[in-house]
Amino acid sequence: MSETDERRLAHWERRVEWPLTGLAVLFLVAYAWQVLDDRATPGLHGALEVVLWFVWLVFAVDYLARLVIAVDKRRFVTTHLFDLLAVVLPVVRQLRVLRLLTVLKLLNRRYAGRVRQRIGVYVAAVTTLVGLCASLAVLDAERRHPDASITTFGDAAWWVLTTITTVGYGDRYPVTWEGRLVAALLMVGGIALIGVVTGTIASWIVERLSGVEESVTAAEQAAATELRQVRAELAALREELREELRAEHRPGV
């Protein structure tokens, strides 16, 4: 891909990232409302479904537009697999939350350079978003199954907490294939999140130690420079003393 094509693609992504983020938040609100409000009227349920499909349509148009702009389309597809999944999996209702990856991408793009300074805020935001999405998705998949152990949002949130932390008490578990698919994605995401946090902390520690090492090196160099100056001054003083002693012992002085 040439620099011109890369700039065109980057320009498009900059122009649409905030509108897409707003739509992703709208999607989350509509999806959460649809899942949590058991008393919603058919009309309200239909309106929320229209919102969800509208968001999907916009995401699909955005993906196709970026695919058209990209010259190396195979490389684009392989490097934007999550975007592709968010478009091609609308038939699996519980996986519609993949569209919220736009928010995660925006967070990473905005704060990746400052993540070590704001690691607490960043990790809390990502974990909360992932946990909320997974809770809604698994509740949506499980609560109507006769053998389900996850029937309330509280059950779903507890299951997400034990799963994403790899504790896995086993008191709550999905029994539907959709719920197990959400569980698999959550487990992989939890491991990836822990890996990112661990790597970020390790990078921060290495950076801090490197800073200390650089400070120590600079201090050593400054001390060595001062020591050389002191030695030079001492050598000059010794030379002056020798000259004075020679002058005192000269005949006729």
Side-chain angles (χ1 to χ4, degrees), residues 51-95:
V51 171
L52 297 179
W53 279 104
F54 172 74
V55 173
W56 172 83
L57 179 61
V58 175
F59 274 63
V61 171
D62 168 68
Y63 182 84
L64 291 176
R66 287 184 291 148
L67 182 61
V68 170
I69 294 173
V71 174
D72 190 349
K73 294 180 174 23
R74 179 178 298 180
R75 180 175 178 272
F76 176 84
V77 171
T78 56
T79 55
H80 294 77
L81 290 177
F82 282 112
D83 294 345
L84 179 61
L85 289 176
V87 172
V88 301
L89 291 177
V91 293
V92 183
R93 173 187 169 86
Q94 291 74 26
L95 295 186

Side-chain angles (χ1 to χ4, degrees), residues 171-220:
D171 55 342
R172 297 284 186 271
Y173 52 88
V175 294
T176 65
W177 73 267
E178 297 96 335
R180 289 173 179 173
L181 185 56
V182 173
L185 293 174
L186 181 63
M187 286 184 279
V188 173
I191 294 172
L193 183 61
I194 293 173
V196 169
V197 173
T198 303
T200 302
I201 294 175
S203 176
W204 178 79
I205 292 174
V206 170
E207 184 179 280
R208 299 293 292 184
L209 290 177
S210 298
V212 171
E213 183 178 352
E214 290 175 359
S215 299
V216 171
T217 302
E220 290 178 348

Side-chain angles (χ1 to χ4, degrees), residues 7-238:
R7 285 197 297 267
R8 286 179 59 199
L9 185 58
H11 178 67
W12 172 270
E13 291 179 343
R14 284 195 302 269
R15 289 185 61 184
V16 301
E17 65 179 3
W18 281 113
L20 289 181
T21 300
L23 285 175
V25 174
L26 175 63
F27 170 86
L28 177 60
V29 173
Y31 184 64
W33 193 344
Q34 196 177 59
V35 172
L36 299 177
D37 189 0
D38 293 330
R39 295 174 295 179
T41 63
L44 177 59
H45 187 276
L48 294 173
E49 192 69 18
V50 168
V51 171
L52 297 179
W53 279 104
F54 172 74
V55 173
W56 172 83
L57 179 61
V58 175
F59 274 63
V61 171
D62 168 68
Y63 182 84
L64 291 176
R66 287 184 291 148
L67 182 61
V68 170
I69 294 173
V71 174
D72 190 349
K73 294 180 174 23
R74 179 178 298 180
R75 180 175 178 272
F76 176 84
V77 171
T78 56
T79 55
H80 294 77
L81 290 177
F82 282 112
D83 294 345
L84 179 61
L85 289 176
V87 172
V88 301
L89 291 177
V91 293
V92 183
R93 173 187 169 86
Q94 291 74 26
L95 295 186
R96 295 176 181 179
V97 293
L98 285 174
R99 296 165 199 165
L100 293 168
L101 287 170
T102 300
V103 178
L104 298 182
K105 287 169 60 180
L106 178 63
L107 284 172
N108 184 66
R109 190 176 302 168
R110 293 293 178 184
Y111 299 109
R114 294 172 288 174
V115 65
R116 287 188 291 271
Q117 289 75 18
R118 301 184 179 183
I119 184 172
V121 176
Y122 182 84
V123 171
V126 172
T127 304
T128 301
L129 184 60
V130 171
L132 177 60
C133 293
S135 299
L136 293 172
V138 76
L139 177 61
D140 191 19
E142 293 290 308
R143 62 181 173 183
R144 293 181 180 85
H145 195 279
D147 298 327
S149 61
I150 302 173
T151 56
T152 66
F153 184 74
D155 294 338
W158 172 250
W159 171 81
V160 166
L161 179 63
T162 58
T163 302
I164 201 171
T165 56
T166 67
V167 174
Y169 282 115
D171 55 342
R172 297 284 186 271
Y173 52 88
V175 294
T176 65
W177 73 267
E178 297 96 335
R180 289 173 179 173
L181 185 56
V182 173
L185 293 174
L186 181 63
M187 286 184 279
V188 173
I191 294 172
L193 183 61
I194 293 173
V196 169
V197 173
T198 303
T200 302
I201 294 175
S203 176
W204 178 79
I205 292 174
V206 170
E207 184 179 280
R208 299 293 292 184
L209 290 177
S210 298
V212 171
E213 183 178 352
E214 290 175 359
S215 299
V216 171
T217 302
E220 290 178 348
Q221 292 176 350
T225 302
E226 292 180 0
L227 182 59
R228 285 194 295 269
Q229 292 175 351
V230 170
R231 287 176 175 173
E233 292 174 358
L234 288 175
L237 288 174
R238 284 198 297 268

